[in-house]
Amino acid sequence: MTKQELFENIKRKQSFLCVGLDTDFKKIPEHLYEEEDPIYAFNKAIVDATARYCVAYKPNTAFYESLGTKGLWALEKTIEYIRTKYPDQFIILDAKRGDIGNTSEMYAKSAFEHLKATAITVAPYMGEDSVSPFLNYPKKWVILLALTSNKGSQDFQLVEDANGEKLFEKVLKKSQEWGTDEQLMYVVGATQGSMFADIRKHAPNHFLLVPGVGAQGGSLEEVVKYGMNKECGLLVNSSRAIIYADSSESFASAASIEAKKVQTEMAKYLQAII
Amino acid sequence: MTKQELFENIKRKQSFLCVGLDTDFKKIPEHLYEEEDPIYAFNKAIVDATARYCVAYKPNTAFYESLGTKGLWALEKTIEYIRTKYPDQFIILDAKRGDIGNTSEMYAKSAFEHLKATAITVAPYMGEDSVSPFLNYPKKWVILLALTSNKGSQDFQLVEDANGEKLFEKVLKKSQEWGTDEQLMYVVGATQGSMFADIRKHAPNHFLLVPGVGAQGGSLEEVVKYGMNKECGLLVNSSRAIIYADSSESFASAASIEAKKVQTEMAKYLQAII
């Protein structure tokens, strides 16, 4: 998907919501245990209930890997389902990968050729040759970790060099030598709302994937205030608050209501730019 | 496995070799394509041919993931085979994982409960709460990226803070607040031989996993000179130079010869400490 196509989807759907598919076997409604593939059945119902309110889905690979081949099979089917039934959705494989070149090539092959995701999250610690193999796929995206939403983000990401430049700022600057804003997005945690102004100094035109709204405590209003640009430039993720809104047989309609609630708020903020 | 048990294995086998199972479908001998599971058949033969010369195996998850569920199945069977037939082997899942706490918990579950590996490689960018869930398993290990062997390691790992401390040094120091040298090892690339002296200032007692000997160009002699401590403290990995030593039907005996060659050199270096 191109950046322009993503922006068109955002305008048409009045939403920049990404629904995180952190599907945990222990948290899905018990009546689904009777299904042949409970994880896939859950995801399918969640996707059908929320697709009209979001522009992206973000399955988190850890949750599927923890179930072994069964889980990977559910992941494959989920992505295939979204691609087929909702081809306008931007599908992010949240995998935080990154390794030496020949290994990153394998991860890229897995994400883009095998699973056919639109984007993958990548960790920057190993530098350029660990990231660039993911950039060789036209219309596919790398979403590089910059400033994350967890407490541990303070351990290294905020460390300043001799010139006062923080590590995450260095990641933003350096990585722009590797790819354009048509290939690269950044993960920026919503719990650090005021930092968005700083991020936008270094990456005014890039899309930012923003986790941490909802369960992790970030405010959508603040993210928009400091982070939105003229092409929106934001994909805001919500996982638990939407997919686990209800654990009864009405889980899907509860998810739909929660997604709609976020979309309605987003539509309001989008008025400023469209 | 405890640190002492690992050291006993090293002394008994006169080896600190780790064989990297970077098994690429395109590189295995063609006659294996007739097998029901060519990847597993290749790994099984390589393991049988090299187990007496090494103390560890390191399957690289990327290579298996790129084949989808089929690949993951081959990975599961490979680890199970090593665990059952060669229970003294230290099995490293080279996965470079790391995410927010609840997600790292899932990766830990996958590596240690599902796949039953002894250790997993983890990327430090997201800090303490992305690493600590992996440290909750007794006798299991986290191998944290410190200074890697690729060119891109220079992009961020060598950046100095205002006090001249490099990022990888900060990772070494900070992570020692999270776990002991009975739980934590570090990845240190062999292509940066002289840096080992610096690493040992910060982590005198830790085991170091050293990739980059062989195909990536590092020298074993230099690694030993600067990196070995009184409990050896080194696991030196070789992947391609051993497992792809020959692409004919004699691939396994060629791998055995290459592994023995490395082991013989290691035995010589071990005389200094045992």
Side-chain angles (χ1 to χ4, degrees):
Chain A
M1 191 181 295
T2 66
K3 196 179 170 194
Q4 187 59 35
E5 284 164 352
L6 177 59
F7 185 40
E8 293 301 328
N9 290 341
I10 289 171
K11 287 189 285 189
R12 183 170 45 82
K13 299 177 99 172
Q14 294 278 296
S15 170
F16 46 99
L17 173 63
C18 173
V19 173
L21 298 171
D22 296 7
T23 309
D24 184 343
F25 193 79
K26 289 189 192 138
K27 287 188 185 160
I28 66 176
E30 285 184 15
H31 74 278
L32 292 176
Y33 291 173
E34 290 162 19
E35 299 280 336
E36 193 191 328
D37 184 340
I39 297 290
Y40 175 61
F42 178 82
N43 285 350
K44 199 164 160 291
I46 291 286
V47 168
D48 285 335
T50 57
R52 77 175 71 178
Y53 304 119
C54 67
V55 293
Y57 286 100
K58 181 172 75 62
N60 182 324
T61 51
F63 289 76
Y64 302 89
E65 285 180 21
S66 72
L67 302 170
T69 44
K70 243 186 7 241
L72 195 56
W73 185 229
L75 175 63
E76 287 178 6
K77 284 190 292 181
T78 298
I79 293 180
E80 178 63 23
Y81 184 74
I82 302 170
R83 287 185 61 243
T84 311
K85 191 143 180 219
Y86 306 101
D88 62 345
Q89 293 288 342
F90 190 91
I91 305 173
I92 301 164
L93 194 70
D94 194 3
K96 315 271 196 313
R97 297 299 195 258
D99 206 317
I100 60 171
N102 78 323
T103 303
S104 275
E105 270 172 35
M106 287 287 172
Y107 282 128
K109 195 176 152 191
S110 174
F112 297 142
E113 296 181 36
H114 183 78
L115 288 169
K116 301 196 173 68
T118 324
I120 182 171
T121 56
V122 175
Y125 192 76
M126 293 181 67
E128 176 170 9
D129 52 331
S130 72
V131 177
S132 54
F134 295 100
L135 295 168
N136 291 333
Y137 289 78
K139 297 194 182 185
K140 301 287 188 181
W141 294 77
V142 164
I143 310 183
L144 200 61
L145 299 186
L147 184 61
T148 58
S149 57
N150 62 320
K151 187 163 172 289
S153 64
Q154 294 171 27
D155 287 331
F156 307 118
Q157 297 167 24
L158 300 181
V159 168
E160 293 182 6
D161 72 6
N163 304 316
E165 187 172 66
K166 298 188 180 72
L167 179 62
F168 79 87
E169 295 173 312
K170 209 171 284 289
V171 168
L172 291 173
K173 278 171 65 175
K174 192 89 190 166
S175 61
Q176 292 182 45
E177 300 168 12
W178 312 336
T180 70
D181 59 7
E182 287 280 348
Q183 303 174 282
L184 266 177
M185 300 185 181
Y186 298 104
V187 174
V188 180
T191 48
Q192 327 226 8
S194 57
M195 301 296 262
F196 276 81
D198 187 33
I199 301 271
R200 280 301 181 205
K201 263 190 255 163
H202 298 285
N205 301 319
H206 287 73
F207 261 85
L208 308 176
L209 172 63
V210 186
V213 168
Q216 293 175 57
S219 141
L220 180 57
E221 187 175 6
E222 205 169 323
V223 169
V224 168
K225 182 175 167 190
Y226 296 106
M228 189 176 268
N229 66 21
K230 64 184 194 308
E231 293 167 305
C232 182
L234 295 171
L235 287 176
V236 172
N237 183 75
S238 177
S239 302
R240 288 167 271 181
I242 290 176
I243 71 174
Y244 300 130
D246 184 296
S247 60
S248 74
E249 296 200 5
S250 332
F251 73 98
S253 58
S256 176
I257 290 166
E258 287 307 310
K260 187 178 179 182
K261 215 182 280 173
V262 181
Q263 181 270 322
T264 307
E265 193 182 347
M266 287 177 167
K268 197 178 68 188
Y269 299 132
L270 281 167
Q271 286 176 5
I273 58 161
I274 56 182
Chain B
M1 191 180 295
T2 66
K3 196 178 170 192
Q4 187 59 34
E5 283 163 352
L6 177 59
F7 185 40
E8 293 301 328
N9 290 341
I10 289 172
K11 287 190 284 189
R12 184 169 45 81
K13 299 178 100 171
Q14 295 277 297
S15 171
F16 47 98
L17 174 62
C18 173
V19 173
L21 299 171
D22 296 8
T23 309
D24 184 344
F25 193 79
K26 288 188 191 138
K27 289 189 184 160
I28 66 176
E30 285 185 13
H31 73 278
L32 292 175
Y33 292 173
E34 290 161 20
E35 299 281 336
E36 193 191 328
D37 184 340
I39 297 290
Y40 175 61
F42 178 82
N43 284 351
K44 199 163 160 291
I46 291 286
V47 169
D48 285 336
T50 58
R52 76 174 72 176
Y53 304 119
C54 67
V55 293
Y57 286 100
K58 181 172 75 63
N60 182 324
T61 51
F63 288 76
Y64 303 89
E65 285 181 20
S66 72
L67 302 170
T69 44
K70 242 184 11 237
L72 195 56
W73 185 229
L75 175 63
E76 287 179 6
K77 284 190 292 181
T78 298
I79 293 180
E80 177 63 23
Y81 184 75
I82 302 171
R83 286 185 61 244
T84 311
K85 192 143 179 218
Y86 306 101
D88 62 345
Q89 294 288 342
F90 190 91
I91 305 172
I92 300 163
L93 194 71
D94 195 3
K96 314 271 195 313
R97 297 298 196 258
D99 206 317
I100 60 171
N102 78 323
T103 302
S104 275
E105 269 173 35
M106 287 287 172
Y107 282 128
K109 195 176 153 192
S110 175
F112 297 142
E113 295 180 37
H114 183 78
L115 288 169
K116 301 196 172 70
T118 324
I120 182 171
T121 56
V122 175
Y125 192 75
M126 293 180 69
E128 176 170 9
D129 53 330
S130 71
V131 177
S132 54
F134 295 100
L135 294 167
N136 291 333
Y137 289 79
K139 297 195 183 184
K140 301 287 188 181
W141 295 76
V142 164
I143 309 183
L144 200 62
L145 299 185
L147 185 60
T148 58
S149 57
N150 62 321
K151 186 163 173 289
S153 64
Q154 295 170 28
D155 288 331
F156 306 118
Q157 297 167 24
L158 300 182
V159 168
E160 293 183 6
D161 72 6
N163 303 318
E165 188 172 66
K166 298 187 180 73
L167 179 61
F168 78 86
E169 296 174 313
K170 210 172 284 289
V171 168
L172 291 173
K173 278 170 66 175
K174 192 90 190 165
S175 61
Q176 291 182 46
E177 299 168 14
W178 312 336
T180 72
D181 58 7
E182 287 279 349
Q183 302 174 283
L184 265 178
M185 300 186 181
Y186 298 104
V187 173
V188 181
T191 47
Q192 327 226 11
S194 57
M195 301 295 262
F196 276 81
D198 186 33
I199 300 271
R200 280 301 181 204
K201 263 190 256 163
H202 297 286
N205 301 318
H206 287 72
F207 262 85
L208 308 177
L209 172 64
V210 186
V213 169
Q216 291 175 58
S219 142
L220 180 56
E221 189 175 4
E222 205 169 323
V223 169
V224 168
K225 182 174 166 190
Y226 297 105
M228 190 176 269
N229 66 20
K230 64 183 195 306
E231 293 168 305
C232 183
L234 296 171
L235 287 176
V236 172
N237 184 75
S238 177
S239 301
R240 287 168 270 181
I242 291 176
I243 70 173
Y244 301 129
D246 185 295
S247 61
S248 74
E249 295 200 5
S250 331
F251 73 98
S253 58
S256 175
I257 290 167
E258 287 305 311
K260 187 179 178 180
K261 215 182 281 174
V262 182
Q263 181 270 322
T264 306
E265 192 182 347
M266 287 177 167
K268 198 178 69 188
Y269 299 133
L270 281 167
Q271 286 177 4
I273 57 162
I274 55 182

